[in-house]
């Protein structure tokens, strides 16, 4: 056997091995995709991020906000407004399924029904799913895999070229917030590239597009830049994470209401 033949044979063997590996790693069910999405968050014990949110009206920026977003396992979330000045100091605090809003100007807390909020109006709530002690937002839906890596998406006739999974969740309980959820999930990071929410009548509520993703811990990825669009396709907001820090040992008192004793 000549050296050329040996090299050719070795190259073909490598191609076969790589093909077999790719096939073995391919996920064949929607539940498998959801499991990988959940596994992506397991290395995060706490998170502290500063972000800029731009709201749009008729294609122009109508409001710019700077926010600090903090998470602490298993079930605590805090959002504090930093800018503009008239909102600075206002914050939202979520512990488990309870939520409070603090209005700095009058130094008063108000309890809010968390069930009344949705990621359609509050995209930052998406990151609450990093918390292990809260109910999975997909628990009230039955998911199916519409297209896998390299399959043809029959709805928009686009080939995904092996880079994402398209899954769809349909409400199966009365507790479901939406009628239907569609996700296009990156096959490497398992962060959704796109997320579309529909009401119970099938009307599109909001489309969330993730434009940038960052590895924030070992094999743990997070969205860095997001955009939301309304039912007409008009851009409504852009969310950019200016900095993200994970597993820094956040002080638990950050998640205590001001009038509460720190050991509550």
């Amino acid at each position: 056997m000549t050296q050329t033949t040996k090299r050719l044979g070795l190259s073909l063997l490598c191609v076969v091995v790589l093909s077999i590996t790719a096939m073995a790693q391919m996920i064949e069910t929607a539940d498998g995709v959801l499991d990988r999405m959940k596994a992506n968050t397991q290395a995060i014990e706490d998170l502290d991020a500063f972000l800029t949110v731009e709201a749009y009206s008729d294609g122009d920026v109508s409001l710019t906000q700077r926010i600090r977003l903090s998470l602490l396992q298993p079930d605590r979330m805090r959002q504090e407004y930093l800018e503009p000045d008239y909102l600075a100091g206002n914050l939202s605090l979520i512990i488990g399924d309870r939520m409070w809003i603090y209005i700095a100007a009058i130094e008063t807390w108000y309890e809010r029904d968390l069930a009344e909020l949705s990621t359609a109006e509050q995209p930052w709530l998406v990151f609450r799913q990093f918390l292990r002690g809260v109910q999975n937002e997909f628990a009230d839906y039955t998911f199916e895999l519409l297209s896998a890596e390299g399959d043809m998406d029959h709805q928009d006739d686009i080939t995904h070229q092996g880079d994402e999974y398209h899954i769809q969740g349909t409400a199966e309980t009365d507790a479901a917030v939406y009628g239907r959820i569609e996700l296009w999930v990156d096959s490497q990071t398992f962060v959704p590239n796109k997320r579309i929410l529909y009401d119970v009548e099938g009307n599109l509520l909001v489309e969330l597009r993730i434009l940038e993703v960052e590895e924030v811990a070992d094999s743990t990825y997070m969205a860095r830049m997001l955009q939301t669009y309304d039912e007409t396709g008009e851009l409504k907001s852009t969310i950019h994470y200016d900095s993200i820090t994970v597993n820094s040992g956040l002080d638990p008192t950050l998640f205590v209401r001001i009038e509460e004793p720190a050991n509550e």
Side-chain angles (χ1 to χ4, degrees):
M1 182 181 293
T2 66
Q3 290 297 320
T4 301
T5 304
K6 287 181 179 179
R7 286 196 296 270
L8 179 58
L10 182 59
S11 298
L12 290 174
L13 178 60
C14 289
V15 170
V16 171
V17 170
L18 289 173
S19 299
I20 292 174
T21 301
M23 291 173 61
Q25 293 177 343
M26 185 173 178
I27 299 175
E28 298 181 350
T29 66
D31 286 342
V33 176
L34 293 172
D35 287 344
R36 289 295 301 272
M37 289 174 61
K38 185 174 181 61
N40 179 49
T41 69
Q42 295 306 297
I44 294 180
E45 295 300 325
D46 61 62
L47 178 146
D48 201 24
F50 291 86
L51 52 148
T52 300
V53 180
E54 294 178 327
Y56 286 79
S57 178
D58 297 325
D60 296 320
V61 176
S62 58
L63 176 65
T64 299
Q65 302 170 330
R66 289 201 70 246
I67 294 171
R68 180 185 182 185
L69 179 67
S70 307
L71 303 176
L72 180 65
Q73 297 290 2
D75 62 358
R76 299 197 170 205
M77 183 173 193
R78 184 180 189 272
Q79 180 192 243
E80 179 181 0
Y81 287 92
L82 306 176
E83 296 177 10
D85 290 342
Y86 68 88
L87 291 177
N90 292 353
L91 61 89
S92 301
L93 180 64
I94 302 175
I95 301 176
D97 293 325
R98 300 184 67 186
M99 177 179 182
W100 296 268
I101 295 176
Y102 179 71
I103 307 300
I106 57 176
E107 300 182 347
T108 303
W109 287 94
Y110 296 94
E111 188 162 5
R112 181 78 182 271
D113 185 355
L114 187 57
E116 294 179 353
L117 300 180
S118 74
T119 54
E121 292 83 21
Q122 306 289 339
W124 57 273
L125 283 172
V126 169
F127 295 96
R128 188 166 174 260
Q129 289 304 306
F130 278 77
L131 297 172
R132 295 189 284 270
V134 304
Q135 180 180 355
N136 190 310
E137 65 174 329
F138 302 135
D140 297 311
Y141 301 85
T142 298
F143 277 84
E144 60 178 324
L145 181 63
L146 298 184
S147 65
E149 298 176 301
D151 284 351
M152 181 71 73
D153 185 330
H154 299 292
Q155 289 193 346
D156 53 20
D157 203 34
I158 295 176
T159 301
H160 292 309
Q161 300 178 348
D163 61 357
E164 64 184 6
Y165 297 96
H166 181 192
I167 63 176
Q168 175 177 273
T170 305
E172 66 172 5
T173 73
D174 293 337
V177 178
Y178 311 106
R180 181 159 53 96
I181 299 173
E182 283 191 85
L183 300 170
W184 286 259
V185 182
D186 186 276
S187 63
Q188 301 301 314
T189 65
F190 286 91
V191 173
N193 294 321
K194 184 167 66 174
R195 169 189 180 118
I196 302 181
L197 307 176
Y198 301 85
D199 65 18
V200 293
E201 296 179 348
N203 300 309
L204 191 151
L205 293 173
V206 65
E207 177 180 328
L208 176 68
R209 301 177 189 174
I210 294 177
L211 306 181
E212 296 178 14
V213 174
E214 178 181 341
E215 186 175 15
V216 296
D218 186 28
S219 299
T220 299
Y221 297 87
M222 276 190 61
R224 187 68 184 257
M225 182 175 179
L226 309 88
Q227 290 181 332
T228 63
Y229 294 80
D230 66 13
E231 70 280 1
T232 68
E234 181 179 349
L235 176 64
K236 301 304 293 182
S237 67
T238 296
I239 303 171
H240 186 272
Y241 282 73
D242 303 315
S243 67
I244 301 173
T245 304
V246 299
N247 302 338
S248 62
L250 279 181
D251 186 348
T253 60
L254 183 66
F255 301 87
V256 175
R257 286 188 290 153
I258 295 172
E259 75 267 28
E260 295 178 339
N263 61 355
E264 177 171 318

